[in-house]
Amino acid sequence: MKTLGIGLLGFGTVGTGVVLGLQKNQALLENRTGLKLELRRVADLDLERDRGVSLPEGVLTRDAAAVVASPEVDIVVELIGGRNAARDLITQALQRGKPVVTANKALLAEHGAELFALAAEKGADIFFEASVGAGIPLIRALREGLVSNQIRSIYGILNGTCNYILTRMEQKGLSFATALKEAQKAGYTEADPALDIDGIDTAHKAVILASLAYGFNVPMRSVAVEGIQGLDALDLRYAAELGYRIKMLAVIEQENGEVAVRVCPTLVPVAHILASVSGEFNAVLIKGDEVGDVLCYGKGAGRDPTASAVLSDVVDAARNLVFHAARRAPGFVGYNAQGKLKAVGESDVRYYLRLTLLDKPGVFGQIATILGQHDIGLASVLQKEKSAGRQVPVVIITHHGKEKEFQAALDELDKLPVIGARTVRFRIEDF
Ligand code: HSE
């Protein structure tokens, strides 16, 4: 049986999952692939920590560059995360023509173009199934299973931490801080959890999906991003009363050849399938012109689900090496030189607005007039409390309007003397 050597860079949570997965399912992997996958080197700065898994003598080292260079290592698995060291090491591996498996969404979102170009030049593969949706075989679905489709839109719950926090706040009434602590303890969060709760991690994943779907490099700076920090449990309750759940959603849409990507907490109708995705689970709804709707669902964060995706890539890399079929499945191909981004503010949207409004005659008229001047109609209005002469929360569900008109209307509204606090707003997605 042919044996291939694996060099693992990063022995943290996911790295440990990869080692455990290789050990646990070694026989199964051999039976299914006809190959022996041997972990020959593991690099990490921490040589002492007990990870609950043992490595053969001499495998663990601090010298990641030596792992990449080792003639015993055929496939490099990068699970260090972060940008600089990971980028250097992946570059070194590709320079040597070695295939790379990575879960590093931040690196691919920001430097993917350069790394994929180098891989193409060197005839080497970059596999990145674990970068989006962890355990869900989503990259393969988009790149291979749906290759004959024009992708109309993608709606994704792509961050396990955000989804976990929102679920725990809604279902158990936990505070944001407590729910975040639980997510950290469970190993869902990034090393810096701000990346999760500020929406950056979701945006990284969204640009990878958008670039794959539309064939040009969609840059991070083009994504409108809002996080869930500061989200008030009040809005989760009001949204529920109105028949919605708040989900951290990535929306990737193409209209008239222009692509728009946004990431924000969004009201999803309770009856829609994405509303029932809870905890650390992710789900991605892809709309293709031939296939119609496809839903991919599974654990989007955590040690073992992420390791499952990494190991699927290791197998692909190994088989490509053995069959001399490197680049059989393209990493990312920039085939669409005409690819365009939609101008900011031009999307058609509708909103949930929570105004803090003085409860006195005539104020609704002022609000409706300003919204009307920006061509925004009201679908429903709900005054949540009655307290004449005082400020009360008022929830408005709007009809569709132009994003930039909403922005201008809200700027005007918040200057009115009858408004007591900045208006809270969430987009509503009708799919
Ligand atoms: N921190 C990420 C999440 C891990 O919560 O989804 C998986 O990419």
Side-chain angles (χ1 to χ4, degrees):
M1 186 178 285
K2 178 105 178 145
T3 303
L4 287 129
I6 300 166
L8 175 62
L9 312 178
F11 196 19
T13 304
V14 179
T16 303
V18 168
V19 176
L20 285 167
L22 269 175
Q23 291 177 351
K24 181 161 66 92
N25 287 340
Q26 188 177 23
L28 178 76
L29 282 165
E30 285 178 18
N31 289 339
R32 284 189 174 157
T33 65
L35 299 170
K36 192 167 164 51
L37 303 170
E38 202 170 270
L39 188 63
R40 292 199 172 136
R41 297 275 188 284
V42 177
D44 199 278
L45 293 177
D46 185 348
L47 303 183
E48 306 304 327
R49 185 155 52 97
D50 179 11
R51 282 117 168 145
V53 56
S54 57
L55 294 173
E57 196 64 29
V59 166
L60 188 58
T61 168
R62 287 175 65 94
D63 191 347
V67 171
V68 172
S70 167
E72 288 190 66
V73 167
D74 303 299
I75 299 164
V76 174
V77 179
E78 183 278 307
L79 298 175
I80 292 176
R83 317 265 203 312
N84 298 337
R87 183 180 176 190
D88 289 349
L89 291 162
I90 290 177
T91 302
Q92 287 164 31
L94 295 172
Q95 294 281 13
R96 293 174 182 275
K98 293 188 182 184
V100 171
V101 173
T102 180
N104 197 330
K105 55 254 162 149
L107 183 66
L108 292 181
E110 285 164 20
H111 299 288
E114 147 207 332
L115 294 171
F116 286 120
L118 179 63
E121 184 193 322
K122 298 292 173 187
D125 284 318
I126 303 180
F127 291 97
F128 51 103
E129 187 62 74
S131 65
V132 186
I136 309 171
L138 177 61
I139 301 295
R140 277 182 186 76
L142 197 54
R143 200 176 52 188
E144 298 177 49
L146 301 177
V147 68
S148 73
N149 283 261
Q150 301 206 26
I151 305 298
R152 298 210 157 113
S153 47
I154 301 176
Y155 303 91
I157 294 173
L158 295 174
N159 184 272
T161 300
C162 286
N163 204 46
Y164 182 86
I165 292 172
L166 292 173
T167 304
R168 297 291 284 164
M169 285 176 77
E170 193 193 316
Q171 293 181 356
K172 296 287 169 197
L174 295 192
S175 71
F176 185 94
T178 308
L180 172 59
K181 273 202 195 101
E182 282 189 2
Q184 282 177 291
K185 202 162 158 222
Y188 304 147
T189 57
E190 298 301 298
D192 174 6
L195 289 171
D196 295 297
I197 59 184
D198 291 344
I200 307 299
D201 178 80
T202 305
H204 285 146
K205 295 164 177 168
V207 305
I208 293 172
L209 295 183
S211 302
L212 278 179
Y214 297 112
F216 67 100
N217 273 298
V218 174
M220 271 297 282
R221 65 172 183 285
S222 70
V223 184
V225 187
E226 280 168 41
I228 60 165
Q229 207 160 15
L231 187 127
D232 196 326
L234 195 67
D235 293 304
L236 291 169
R237 283 207 304 278
Y238 290 169
E241 280 178 37
L242 290 160
Y244 294 96
R245 290 214 171 97
I246 300 183
K247 292 287 173 197
M248 182 62 155
L249 203 67
V251 177
I252 303 164
E253 288 173 325
Q254 189 193 40
E255 205 188 353
N256 304 326
E258 293 178 340
V259 176
V261 184
R262 59 177 181 269
V263 168
C264 52
T266 304
L267 267 69
V268 174
V270 167
H272 192 272
I273 198 156
L274 289 181
S276 57
V277 176
S278 55
E280 77 273 30
F281 280 82
N282 281 191
V284 183
L285 174 64
I286 304 173
K287 292 180 182 267
D289 66 339
E290 290 187 306
V291 72
D293 288 6
V294 171
L295 183 76
C296 304
Y297 169 85
K299 285 192 178 164
R303 185 188 75 182
D304 295 344
T306 313
S308 161
V310 170
L311 288 171
S312 74
D313 280 349
V314 169
V315 166
D316 264 7
R319 288 177 62 85
N320 281 9
L321 283 176
V322 170
F323 293 106
H324 305 289
R327 310 201 45 76
R328 185 201 61 81
F332 165 72
V333 180
Y335 57 82
N336 182 6
Q338 259 71 51
K340 268 204 220 103
L341 296 165
K342 193 169 224 166
V344 177
E346 287 302 324
S347 295
D348 269 326
V349 291
R350 75 190 190 101
Y351 272 101
Y352 158 108
L353 306 175
R354 175 165 57 81
L355 300 102
T356 306
L357 200 57
L358 193 62
D359 188 3
K360 73 171 201 191
V363 291
F364 270 106
Q366 293 180 49
I367 306 298
T369 302
I370 291 181
L371 290 171
Q373 282 162 352
H374 290 276
D375 222 7
I376 298 164
L378 309 185
S380 64
V381 179
L382 207 66
Q383 177 164 333
K384 294 305 299 176
E385 286 169 35
K386 291 193 194 86
S387 189
R390 306 194 107 120
Q391 286 170 350
V392 291
V394 171
V395 174
I396 294 178
I397 302 290
T398 74
H399 287 302
H400 278 91
K402 278 264 178 280
E403 171 87 74
K404 64 182 177 199
E405 294 297 337
F406 273 97
Q407 197 48 57
L410 287 172
D411 288 347
E412 277 180 52
L413 281 180
D414 282 349
K415 287 191 193 119
L416 288 178
V418 293
I419 297 270
R422 193 164 181 266
T423 297
V424 174
R425 63 188 168 81
F426 295 103
R427 293 177 65 137
I428 302 176
E429 194 57 62
D430 295 305
F431 305 94

